Amino acid sequence: MHQNMHTGSVPTDMNHGGHELFDVHEALSGVIASLNQAMLLRPYVQDPELLDIIDRQYRFTLDEYNITVECFKSGTDPSHPTGSYKMKEGNDFIYGMKPSQPKKPLQNANEVNDEIISGFLLGSAKANATMKAATSLETTNPVVRRVLADSIPNCIEMAYELSIYQNKHHYYQVPQLAQQDMQQLLNAFAPSQGQPSMPDHTIQ
């Protein structure tokens, strides 16, 4: 009987499954798109604070991209571990809605502003977090899986930093439920008390 399955160990640079190869390609392509987008949008930024966010996130993402490519090609540990992105913003959101103009597509490129740029960057960070999470679930190489998994909190942190920036400038408003409705939802779950009695594993 003919066997198509590989047996035994394989070289570390070949220690990748098929799904992994396709998904990591897609994840890395998404990161490149984010970096390219930031590079193209940077000249249009007006706010020095947003410029600082773009530059810090770009440098961090580029380094993270490089070590991901490195371990993906080698199958072994990259030259340095995944870092931990630290944002400068606080974490205080402004809650509630203020009157604002309805959103609509741009009529021309001259309308590009900090609101639109920060929105693009926020969308990219969220997309990268989602894609890396899905990719890490399909990754068989333990090093690549760990590097991808460790990078997901950094995408989340970047998205959070951008959402706080947008919120502070009233680009991203956060509505709240009425207090009674909020309390009902907050109290909709209770912790489990005591030790549960597990059913017998033998079915009669």
Side-chain angles (χ1 to χ4, degrees):
M1 180 173 149
H2 181 65
Q3 291 282 342
N4 287 323
M5 298 292 288
H6 293 294
T7 57
S9 61
V10 295
T12 52
D13 62 343
M14 296 295 290
N15 184 15
H16 302 287
H19 284 298
E20 174 183 349
L21 290 171
F22 293 132
D23 285 356
V24 173
H25 266 250
E26 190 171 349
L28 289 172
S29 295
V31 175
I32 289 176
S34 297
L35 291 166
N36 290 346
Q37 184 181 65
M39 182 74 74
L40 291 171
L41 292 172
R42 191 181 189 280
Y44 296 94
V45 175
Q46 299 294 316
D47 184 0
E49 183 184 4
L50 180 57
L51 196 63
D52 178 60
I53 292 173
I54 286 181
D55 288 348
R56 284 186 293 103
Q57 292 196 1
Y58 185 95
R59 286 191 299 269
F60 189 95
T61 303
L62 184 62
D63 178 69
E64 202 170 66
Y65 165 81
N66 283 335
I67 64 168
T68 307
V69 170
E70 185 184 346
C71 70
F72 184 49
K73 290 171 75 72
S74 70
T76 59
D77 285 340
S79 51
H80 63 270
T82 308
S84 179
Y85 182 77
K86 304 295 185 187
M87 64 181 191
K88 285 186 177 179
E89 290 282 348
N91 57 4
D92 292 329
F93 268 85
I94 301 166
Y95 292 98
M97 302 292 290
K98 289 188 174 182
S100 62
Q101 292 297 316
K103 311 288 187 192
K104 60 182 179 179
L106 296 175
Q107 297 297 306
N108 61 72
N110 294 328
E111 294 176 7
V112 172
N113 56 28
D114 291 341
E115 177 179 2
I116 290 168
I117 292 168
S118 55
F120 276 138
L121 298 171
L122 175 58
S124 289
K126 291 167 73 173
N128 285 333
T130 302
M131 187 64 218
K132 286 179 179 181
T135 300
S136 65
L137 295 171
E138 296 290 349
T139 299
T140 56
N141 181 284
V143 177
V144 179
R145 185 197 63 80
R146 188 183 69 243
V147 169
L148 284 168
D150 287 349
S151 73
I152 296 166
N154 294 322
C155 295
I156 295 170
E157 197 78 353
M158 290 180 191
Y160 194 50
E161 181 177 40
L162 287 160
S163 66
I164 292 170
Y165 171 83
Q166 283 213 317
N167 175 253
K168 182 168 67 176
H169 294 276
H170 307 293
Y171 305 150
Y172 174 31
Q173 301 198 59
V174 183
Q176 287 190 300
L177 296 178
Q179 187 173 358
Q180 182 179 346
D181 295 340
M182 191 185 301
Q183 284 298 326
Q184 185 170 341
L185 289 172
L186 287 171
N187 295 319
F189 300 94
S192 176
Q193 301 294 328
Q195 191 66 29
S197 175
M198 299 301 289
D200 190 340
H201 71 282
T202 304
I203 298 175
Q204 300 298 329

